[in-house]
Amino acid sequence: MGNRVGERARQEFRGATLIDLDYRKPHRAVEATRRAIDEGAPVILEASFFEDNIFVAVDVLSKEPNGWVVTEVKATKSVKEQHYADAAVQTHVVERAGLPVTRVELMHLNGDHRHPDEGPLFTRAVSSNEVAALRVGSPAQAAAQGRMLEGPLPDVEPGPHCTTPYDCPFLARCHAPAPDHAIDELNGIRAPALGELREKGVETIEKIPSDFPLKPLHARHRAAVLQKEIIDEPGLERALAAYRHPIAMLDFETVGPALPVWNGCSPLTAIPVQFSVHTLHENGEVTHSAHLAEGKGDPRPALAQAVVESRDGAATILAWHASVEKRCLKQLAEAAPEHATALLEAHDKTEDLLLVVKNHVYHPAFRGSFSIKHVAPALLPEMAYDDLDVADGMAASHLLESVLCRTDELAVQQCEDLRAQLRAYCKHDTAVMVSLFRFLREVADRRDESSFTGPSTT
């Protein structure tokens, strides 16, 4: 994605000189950059320099009367804190190469742009002051990192710095294997509470003292670990009883191209392009409908129509992490006004099955996660995702973008195979919800009959 955004950004600089950069032979790019400067090139793309043992390739280097402008291109809709540090290193190296830098810009995607031509695709933020503040420390940091690379492996305790702002590629090597049911697994636990437990020498959930103040969710988690079985709360039956049949289990899949391809869409906005719905009727019958966009045209009108036709008289719609499905239904209503009434009605009927589980049920194998990819294997091992070619929503989104936005890069058979995998994945998500609902119903019924032996935390 970053490469595609960078290539598109180059079109904003007509007539610029592009340096052919091969990272295996960076010295050639440095030599080519020096020739371009000597020949008076006003704008250089991928301008390459090597100073103080640091190699940089500046996205855009532009000549001005009093010096040069460093422009870094980012595939984001806003400037992030880490971008300043990146630009500071670029500026340091460029100036060490003898080129005075008069201005630093961070060029990023414009969230107000609407495809195809409403508003500019990119916007530039002048960041000279922020970069200058970091630029002062760049020589010392470069020297310190050089000494670090020449010395032994650093002895640094793993912590939040290992994943901020990005995951360190050595994370797995530095982390000792976590013990089973480590306290870090407690969903949403605050750092002060974790620190207090560690001060008491508590590293695992089963060692948490019974008098330690825990939120209901964390108490349920602790009880499940101690009992080594599923925990359910008395309110489960009441929560499920609120859902009237027919109950539609709905799942959308989306794509969010950095470079929008459909009219009215903005950069990095998630657009629904696929859905699956399994409808559970009161007599136990289950029906299924699905739709996956085809071709390069706007997928939303056809998807909206298919969603409306798939309702099958549903009185309740359930989703997993329903805010996503509710957002998709609103987007489709805006894109297909002729179906807006039905889609907004569906929006208002949509409830979150995840919250039913999170508020009433816990299994030790959840490991603190309420992702359906963790919940389903724990409660219904036969419904695990192991046998699917597409195993999570992020992978599905990437593949959907390839299938719909970059079809020309795929062979015909490859495209058909990917579409089949995507259909199977989306269908499995809603089939899992049907099975989970039935499982929860059985748990609630057993409790209601006072024959279910699973303990409660209340």
Side-chain angles (χ1 to χ4, degrees), residues 73-345:
V73 178
K74 301 299 178 185
T76 59
K77 291 194 289 186
S78 62
V79 175
K80 310 294 184 184
E81 192 69 28
Q82 61 266 27
H83 295 166
Y84 297 131
D86 184 13
V89 173
Q90 306 272 356
T91 303
H92 167 72
V93 175
V94 170
E95 290 194 329
R96 292 287 289 180
L99 278 65
V101 175
T102 57
R103 191 167 73 255
V104 180
E105 298 176 339
L106 288 169
M107 181 175 175
H108 58 84
L109 295 163
N110 176 17
D112 294 328
H113 168 79
R114 295 295 181 272
H115 186 76
D117 53 15
E118 184 181 331
L121 178 60
F122 292 96
T123 187
R124 301 190 208 182
V126 177
S127 306
S128 304
N129 293 337
E130 293 86 353
V131 168
L134 295 171
R135 165 76 176 82
V136 174
S138 293
Q141 284 198 14
Q145 291 187 28
R147 290 192 298 272
M148 178 271 295
L149 290 170
E150 292 171 357
L153 288 175
D155 184 15
V156 179
E157 188 70 22
H161 52 275
C162 298
T163 54
T164 305
Y166 310 111
D167 284 353
C168 172
F170 295 100
L171 194 60
R173 189 175 78 175
C174 296
H175 268 287
D180 284 344
H181 306 298
I183 56 174
D184 306 76
E185 290 182 2
L186 292 169
N187 187 280
I189 190 169
R190 303 281 184 176
L194 278 177
E196 187 177 348
L197 286 169
R198 290 202 169 104
E199 286 177 7
K200 295 176 180 291
V202 177
E203 293 293 336
T204 57
I205 291 168
E206 66 267 23
K207 298 296 184 183
I208 298 176
S210 58
D211 60 350
F212 188 86
L214 291 174
K215 293 182 178 180
L217 171 60
H218 301 154
R220 193 156 51 247
H221 188 160
R222 176 180 176 274
V225 170
L226 288 172
Q227 300 293 335
K228 298 181 181 178
E229 61 186 349
I230 187 173
I231 297 293
D232 74 292
E233 299 285 4
L236 176 60
E237 194 281 333
R238 186 168 58 253
L240 296 173
Y243 304 139
R244 294 184 298 114
H245 289 82
I247 302 173
M249 312 294 179
L250 175 65
D251 178 62
F252 282 107
E253 300 299 335
T254 65
V255 296
L259 303 175
V261 295
W262 300 305
N263 288 350
C265 296
S266 59
L268 296 171
T269 297
I271 304 297
V273 295
Q274 181 185 10
F275 82 89
S276 169
V277 58
H278 276 86
T279 302
L280 176 61
H281 298 268
E282 196 161 11
N283 63 1
E285 179 187 359
V286 176
T287 55
H288 177 251
S289 297
H291 180 88
L292 172 57
E294 294 190 36
K296 292 187 176 181
D298 188 339
R300 292 170 294 175
L303 191 73
Q305 181 175 341
V307 169
V308 171
E309 292 174 352
S310 73
R311 288 178 300 166
D312 205 8
T316 304
I317 298 174
L318 292 182
W320 198 268
H321 196 64
S323 60
V324 174
E325 274 62 39
K326 291 171 80 75
R327 185 182 69 237
C328 289
L329 287 166
K330 275 194 170 181
Q331 284 180 304
L332 292 176
E334 293 172 2
E338 66 275 21
H339 298 300
T341 300
L343 290 166
L344 292 176
E345 180 184 322

Side-chain angles (χ1 to χ4, degrees), residues 6-61:
E7 290 169 4
R8 174 59 183 83
R10 291 171 186 168
Q11 298 177 23
E12 304 290 309
F13 302 89
R14 304 290 182 182
T17 299
L18 175 62
I19 302 300
D20 183 16
L21 174 58
D22 182 346
Y23 282 102
R24 295 167 298 182
K25 302 172 182 176
H27 63 281
R28 293 187 179 179
V30 173
E31 293 167 359
T33 299
R34 181 53 61 182
R35 285 196 300 271
I37 293 170
D38 293 342
E39 292 169 4
V43 181
I44 305 172
L45 307 176
E46 299 292 346
S48 300
F49 303 91
F50 185 76
E51 301 289 337
D52 283 351
N53 250 356
I54 307 171
F55 173 79
V56 300
V58 180
D59 290 329
V60 187
L61 188 67

Side-chain angles (χ1 to χ4, degrees), residues 431-451:
V432 164
M433 282 193 281
V434 172
S435 296
L436 280 173
F437 184 87
R438 285 173 163 166
F439 175 86
L440 295 172
R441 183 73 268 172
E442 290 174 5
V443 170
D445 288 346
R446 288 200 296 268
R447 167 174 284 283
D448 193 46
E449 295 167 3
S450 301
S451 61

